[in-house]
Amino acid sequence: MKLRIVLLAGLIGAGAILTLWLLNLKEYYGNDYRPDTSALPDNSMRDIELITTNETGKPTYLLRADYMTHFPVDDSTELESPNLLYYRDDKPPVTIRSETGWITSRGEEIYLKGKVNISHPADSKNSAFTMKTTELH
């Protein structure tokens, strides 16, 4: 009888610890918590370069990264040291760099984290600027 009580108390204690651990994960990661990241990637590459163009073939974006990992569960992509050039008509490109990045399945959203630097060279109408932050969406 005492052994059953000890075992039951141990199970309840283990359940309480597991619950607190799961709550701590949610609190630590906040809204960025994605349980699907436990899935294995299906593709990874080093030293990538991706160019997107408009309908006339003119570049709109150039993305370079040291390392890219693709996750099939949610079709997202993680990047290490991404460097993004955003081309605009008749203006110098905007350069965006960060330590890490995450791109949603169809590329509609990009999340950059770490040391994020945004720079724009001067042109005939605007002066140069540089902005630094730790997160950019």
Side-chain angles (χ1 to χ4, degrees), residues 94-130:
V94 174
T95 303
I96 305 170
R97 294 186 175 118
S98 69
E99 292 177 349
T100 62
W102 178 65
I103 303 173
T104 58
S105 67
R106 297 203 171 132
E108 300 99 359
E109 297 181 75
I110 299 175
Y111 296 88
L112 301 174
K113 289 193 174 193
K115 293 178 182 175
V116 181
N117 295 307
I118 304 159
S119 61
H120 179 280
D123 61 27
S124 60
K125 295 180 184 176
N126 300 300
S127 58
F129 76 86
T130 299

Side-chain angles (χ1 to χ4, degrees), residues 65-93:
D66 289 347
Y67 197 75
M68 179 212 78
T69 306
H70 179 261
F71 294 91
V73 171
D74 59 359
D75 195 30
S76 67
T77 304
E78 290 183 359
L79 303 168
E80 289 182 20
S81 301
N83 180 0
L84 180 69
L85 287 175
Y86 169 53
Y87 296 98
R88 302 171 305 149
D89 293 330
D90 302 323
K91 294 181 183 178

Side-chain angles (χ1 to χ4, degrees), residues 26-68:
K26 177 66 176 167
E27 190 173 288
Y28 177 77
Y29 288 103
N31 291 334
D32 290 337
Y33 179 63
R34 295 183 298 128
D36 292 339
T37 57
S38 63
L40 295 174
D42 66 344
N43 193 341
S44 62
M45 291 184 241
R46 290 194 180 283
D47 301 322
I48 68 149
E49 185 170 291
L50 171 70
I51 299 171
T52 60
T53 59
N54 62 18
E55 56 279 345
T56 65
K58 189 173 179 180
T60 53
Y61 292 99
L62 169 61
L63 173 65
R64 293 184 178 122
D66 289 347
Y67 197 75
M68 179 212 78

